[in-house]
Amino acid sequence: MTGFRVVIAGCAGRMGRTLMRLVSETDGAELAGGLEHAGSPFLGQDLGALAGLSAPLGLAVSDDALTLLKDADAVIDFTRPEATVELAALAAQARIVHVIGTTGLDTVHEARIAAAARHATIVKSGNMSLGVNLLAALVRQAAAALGDDWDIEIVEMHHRHKVDAPSGTALLLGAAAAQGRGVALADVKDSGRDGQTGARRTGDIGFAALRGGSVVGDHEVIFAGASERIVLGHVAEDRAIFARGAIRAALWANGRGPGLYSMADVLGLAKD
């Protein structure tokens, strides 16, 4: 009997290689294939060699998502928004699990993913780590307990190659803070300050994005009150924490009905 068969999208990237290695080491899971975009120089390469495993796996990098997903139980996806929405549609067609760690999704992408979740079991999160999702729960509690006279600022730093800002994790934390205050993040989000911005609006949630070096991911949520501050934070030292969370999410989703879930659901942290 084979294990739970997992396809890794974006398998040649840093996260993709980590995912392939960890899936191959996870009891109950089996690497079923690796996807890359058409024209990728990695097409045809053995997944075992790409993941740095001790032996080849006899599976080659492919750009044929339709064929791979047809024979899989799940696809784990840390790619780009345009690729993610296409994979969501294919996952819905195949009735399989789709774990989404892709960031930079806009409202159109989100709507297409929600539509796909009517037939696919989708777990989507701006961050897959246990620590960050625990942090989000704490942020929600703190925001609910403190009034609008406490300003909320979210500061994040990532490696120089990250293409979106604020990060998906920062937005996840901002959404948690907004939920704690009973407001929509879109109504209070303040990012990209520059020049004569005027005084800070009461109730806004501010974002600052830093980029440089090889930083995996640092996040701080600052609650600034009169004469005191509360700082809640998380430091990611290895992207394997995100890969482990994504694999845990895929295994958790196995056998569940279609729907759009979060890591808070996976970890039992969802607000009642």
Side-chain angles (χ1 to χ4, degrees):
M1 182 177 177
T2 61
F4 184 66
R5 292 173 54 80
V6 181
V7 169
I8 304 302
C11 64
R14 288 170 295 180
M15 181 60 74
R17 296 179 193 222
T18 300
L19 280 162
M20 289 193 296
R21 174 174 58 81
L22 292 177
V23 166
S24 70
E25 297 171 356
T26 300
D27 290 339
E30 176 184 346
L31 189 59
L35 275 170
E36 270 297 332
H37 60 86
S40 168
F42 297 99
L43 293 177
Q45 291 193 23
D46 186 87
L47 299 187
L50 200 58
L53 302 179
S54 58
L57 294 176
L59 297 170
V61 179
S62 172
D63 61 1
D64 187 354
L66 182 62
T67 297
L68 283 184
L69 268 57
K70 176 173 62 69
D71 297 322
D73 298 305
V75 55
I76 300 179
D77 171 17
F78 287 75
T79 58
R80 299 291 180 90
E82 295 75 16
T84 291
V85 294
E86 295 300 329
L87 285 172
L90 291 175
Q93 182 178 329
R95 303 296 199 271
I96 65 172
V97 172
H98 186 189
V99 176
I100 300 174
T102 303
T103 58
L105 300 163
D106 63 23
T107 54
V108 174
H109 300 135
E110 297 280 7
R112 292 180 63 182
I113 290 168
R118 292 198 291 265
H119 301 290
T121 306
I122 296 178
V123 181
K124 182 175 73 68
S125 178
N127 191 296
M128 295 286 174
S129 85
L130 171 61
V132 162
N133 283 279
L134 284 170
L135 174 60
L138 294 172
V139 167
R140 184 174 64 235
Q141 288 182 307
L146 301 172
D148 282 355
D149 53 334
W150 286 74
D151 299 321
I152 301 176
E153 292 287 322
I154 299 172
V155 181
E156 53 102 344
M157 183 169 185
H158 284 82
H159 54 86
R160 65 171 67 232
H161 302 291
K162 188 166 180 61
V163 298
D164 58 306
S167 69
T169 303
L171 293 172
L172 181 153
L173 296 171
Q179 184 182 23
R181 285 186 166 177
V183 298
L185 179 59
D187 294 335
V188 295
K189 178 173 176 281
D190 184 10
S191 60
R193 298 188 185 106
D194 185 39
Q196 297 295 321
T197 61
R200 191 187 198 283
R201 288 194 315 169
T202 299
D204 275 0
I205 297 175
F207 292 83
L210 288 67
R211 298 289 179 266
S214 59
V215 177
V216 174
D218 295 352
H219 294 83
E220 284 190 346
V221 182
I222 302 167
F223 293 85
S227 305
E228 58 182 330
R229 281 175 293 166
I230 299 170
V231 181
L232 303 175
H234 179 270
V235 175
E237 298 177 344
D238 187 336
R239 59 180 37 86
I241 64 173
F242 312 127
R244 291 190 187 99
I247 295 167
R248 179 170 175 174
L251 293 170
W252 174 88
N254 184 25
R256 295 184 186 271
L260 184 56
Y261 302 93
S262 71
M263 280 302 289
D265 295 307
V266 175
L267 300 172
L269 297 171
K271 185 179 180 182
D272 296 331

